[in-house]
Amino acid sequence: MAEVHIIGQILKAVDFAEPHLYCTWTLQSGSAWRLIQGELHGQTHVSANRLESCSDFAAPLDIHLSCAAIQGWPTLLVEVHAVNVLQQSWPVGYGFAHIPAAPGAHRLEINTWKVAPNGWWQSLRERFGGGGASLSKTDLLFSGVERYKLQTRSSGKIIADLNLIFRKFEEYGVEFN
Amino acid sequence: MSLPGNQSSSPSHEKPKQKLNKNKKASKCAKEKSSTEMDSKPTASYFSLSITGQIVSATFPLGPDQEFVFLRYELVAGPDWQLASGPQHGLTQLATNKSGHFNEPIVFNMPIEVTYKSTSPFGWPQLLVSVFGRSGMGRESLLGYANIHLPVFGSRPTTDQNTILEAPILMPKCPNMFADVTSWLLRREPELKDPKVLLNSMKCKGLSMESYGSLEFQLHTIMRGARKLGYNWHA
């Protein structure tokens, strides 16, 4: 079976309006992929920069997957949450990116979006009352099926550095661009 | 979990000696000798990784919080990795940039030379650095932590060998306002009991950190035996 190693870090979150952020990440893949070693979910610590408006996480990722079919190529889903002084947290960004299909080093910039407030009361609550609306079904993140009713706003970016090592793909005749 | 090539403690005594002899043999540059040394290896299912380089400097945009800065670095790797040579911890000198501008990099020039042996890239070694500061009076305090992965093979094009890797320095913050006030009164900042918590994404929920400053590293990688095991890191 072919194997894929994903070794890297979720580096930072930039361009978000809120200063104190944490990020939860998940690696989603199809049914032909199995996890051999590593964790498929993670949550970073809350971070803020003293001077700039970015949040440095430096959260390491080390995942070893085995692959029986190319369908269901893994994707990295991120959800960025903001925290306020009262320790309440609310999501301020959803995003995903496919793991690149070439071995080597890659810098992923995942653009995120958040659910738009639906009226003046919700915009007021978003600013002062501990956060706006969030998604109830998070599988909307990676499927395009039921998105047409959702109104969203653009949010910041997550920057992740991934190094990919592939193994035994040539034995199965798989070629990468 | 026992994997082929991951021997128990008694053969590991012989392995570093074997490795040293192999290095001496290879330096004599004879092709026949190198082919016999390949055959005499007990298991060829591991690859070795040599990292050479240095911790170049630390940069604080508005100057460090303390006069002198020193670092303590530690190499953390997964269960399949064995340190074949090189120190696992190190402590640098006390450095300062007092004589120059306050936001000039504080130069350490701390060499890092390690060799690891492993059967799988999982648990790739990481460098975890704790940054401490020392005031002129001799009081030491924590300035932050930084962690990077040692360069993974294929991570840099060969024409660009002298790029500097940067890692942000993260300082833990007090969990609540009462702890904030207490730490300001007693002049003691929070420290993590075990900085390895930063490397584990399951354990750092709820931890609050502030990032200020960055560390610069220059690291080069030499691998041996990885391509034979079928690993592909070039497109």
Side-chain angles (χ1 to χ4, degrees), chain B residues 13 16 19 38 81 85 175 177-178 192 201:
Chain B
H13 280 304
K19 202 162 188 359
M38 292 296 173
W81 291 76
S85 84
M177 228 182 285
F178 181 64
L192 290 176
S201 52

Side-chain angles (χ1 to χ4, degrees), chain A residues 5 7-9 20 37-38 41 43 45-50 56 58 60 62 103 105 163 165-168 170, chain B residues 65 121-124 147 149 153 155 170 173 199 201-202 204-205 207-212 229-232 234:
Chain A
H5 288 265
I7 300 170
Q9 280 188 349
H20 298 273
Q37 287 167 308
H41 312 268
Q43 182 171 328
H45 47 81
V46 178
S47 177
N49 192 307
R50 200 186 278 190
D56 291 294
D62 201 337
N163 292 291
I165 304 176
F166 294 173
R167 189 178 184 207
K168 294 195 186 160
E170 306 82 41
Chain B
D65 288 342
F122 177 71
W124 196 274
N147 65 317
H149 280 283
F153 27 78
S155 67
L170 299 163
K173 282 197 333 197
L199 303 181
S201 52
M202 294 278 105
C204 54
K205 275 190 209 181
L207 194 58
S208 179
M209 313 280 271
E210 182 187 55
S211 65
Y212 175 56
L229 293 174
Y231 289 107
N232 180 11
H234 294 301

